[in-house]
Amino acid sequence: MAKVAFLGLGVMGYPMAGHLQAAGHEVTVYNRTAAKAEKWVSQHGGQMATTPRGAAEGAEFVMACVGNDDDLRMVCTGEDGAFQGMAEGSVFVDHTTVSAKVTRELYAAAKARGISFVDAPISGGQAGAENGVLSIMCGGDQAAYDRAEPVMQVYAKICRRIGDSGAGQMTKMCNQIAIAGLVQGLSEALHFAEKAGLDGRAVVEVISQGAAGSWQMSNRYETMLDDHFDHGFAVDWMRKDLGICLDTADETGASLPVTALVDQFYKDVQKMGGGRWDTSSLIKRLRAMG
């Protein structure tokens, strides 16, 4: 078992850190709001620190799951950042969805300190984190990945190294691009069924067993039909991710017309007050249109 620091106890990080502690690792947590760290320690045991540096001191592995590029920079290289407390030879594993640009920047900064940096964004939502069945897509040096992979397996359904630094984040972009189109298509199908006077549940029972079936359909159609949208990844975070995808597409020359369109649909949802609704709330936009 290893000495591990976990930075960021949001809806994903909180249960992920819990899985590490339950597996026998020695876990120290840090959260920007200390009350959340105190709650985690009272529930899971382990220890808490008041700074990323304090959490990282003596840790073999430092895992992070924070909000965006700026948050990640802060916990890594900011005042009392984790890199200042990490020993040479230790490994930083970033589960945040951020740009490949900041990933490569921090990979280089870590390397200069003798630290390894693995980008390891996750997919599977809050339920995947709570049940320990996340998909983890990784970039970074093979040796660093090989060391970190057994630790990540504690909360993974699948964990794979895709390539060099940034490859994990690029793969997560593929994930979000695919989801955007799927959710819009599912929203339109369910909205069409409603307008046609069909029983949505009966429709999904049939079409989910054919070529139209997807994780989104199986896990979100009932809450979409019931107009409940507090069951997963928030629209605000999805727009952050799609912004990264679209910026990167401009850099690479990729064409993402559907992604760009769905991003604007999510902007409409935000204007409806749905920034904290889950991503399946695209159907609410269609219902509002009549």
Side-chain angles (χ1 to χ4, degrees):
M1 294 296 103
K3 186 172 182 181
V4 181
F6 204 105
L7 315 178
L9 299 175
V11 295
M12 304 294 282
Y14 194 101
M16 291 165 70
H19 287 303
L20 290 169
Q21 182 71 15
H25 295 293
E26 184 182 341
V27 181
T28 300
V29 297
Y30 162 80
N31 194 68
R32 186 162 48 190
T33 304
K36 181 70 72 69
E38 292 170 356
K39 179 183 177 183
W40 187 91
V41 171
S42 69
Q43 181 178 350
H44 296 286
Q47 301 179 57
M48 64 171 284
T50 58
T51 65
R53 177 177 184 169
E57 287 176 347
E60 299 167 62
F61 300 94
V62 179
M63 331 298 275
C65 192
V66 292
N68 54 37
D69 285 24
D70 290 339
D71 294 331
L72 183 62
R73 283 192 183 97
M74 185 277 290
V75 299
C76 288
T77 60
E79 185 178 356
D80 286 324
F83 285 6
Q84 297 179 53
M86 294 177 69
E88 187 173 341
S90 57
V91 181
F92 191 100
V93 178
D94 175 37
H95 291 304
T96 317
T97 298
V98 293
S99 68
K101 179 180 179 180
V102 75
T103 291
R104 291 169 181 145
E105 169 191 318
L106 293 172
Y107 168 88
K111 189 172 185 178
R113 290 175 171 266
I115 302 166
S116 296
F117 188 101
V118 175
D119 52 300
I122 51 181
S123 181
Q126 183 175 350
E130 291 173 348
N131 295 318
V133 289
L134 293 168
S135 295
I136 310 179
M137 49 220 83
C138 301
D141 298 340
Q142 184 71 57
Y145 171 80
D146 289 343
R147 290 179 58 202
E149 192 264 347
V151 180
M152 292 188 281
Q153 282 292 354
V154 168
Y155 39 72
K157 180 179 181 180
I158 184 171
C159 184
R160 292 288 184 274
R161 177 183 178 270
I162 308 300
D164 294 335
S165 181
Q169 294 297 345
M170 291 289 194
T171 304
K172 180 61 184 286
M173 293 177 209
C174 296
N175 185 81
Q176 302 305 73
I177 291 164
I179 288 174
L182 284 170
V183 176
Q184 178 63 19
L186 176 58
S187 297
E188 292 184 15
L190 295 179
H191 178 63
F192 180 87
E194 290 174 350
K195 287 295 187 179
L198 303 176
D199 180 339
R201 284 172 169 77
V203 169
V204 171
E205 182 182 7
V206 176
I207 70 172
S208 65
Q209 302 306 307
S214 68
W215 184 98
Q216 297 292 334
M217 183 176 289
S218 298
N219 289 274
R220 290 289 177 261
Y221 84 92
E222 288 191 292
T223 54
M224 292 169 76
L225 290 172
D226 292 339
D227 208 43
H228 293 160
F229 302 104
D230 58 352
H231 299 281
F233 193 61
V235 167
D236 286 343
W237 291 115
M238 185 60 159
R239 285 215 71 210
K240 182 265 290 185
D241 289 1
L242 293 182
I244 293 171
C245 295
L246 294 168
D247 288 345
T248 306
D250 286 341
E251 295 168 4
T252 61
S255 178
L256 303 179
V258 173
T259 303
L261 185 61
V262 176
D263 178 57
Q264 292 306 300
F265 293 164
Y266 277 124
K267 184 177 180 179
D268 292 342
V269 174
Q270 288 177 317
K271 291 178 180 177
M272 294 168 61
R276 302 307 300 171
W277 296 340
D278 70 60
T279 52
S280 68
S281 58
L282 283 173
I283 195 172
K284 284 186 75 72
R285 175 185 171 277
L286 296 173
R287 287 172 176 150
M289 294 171 65

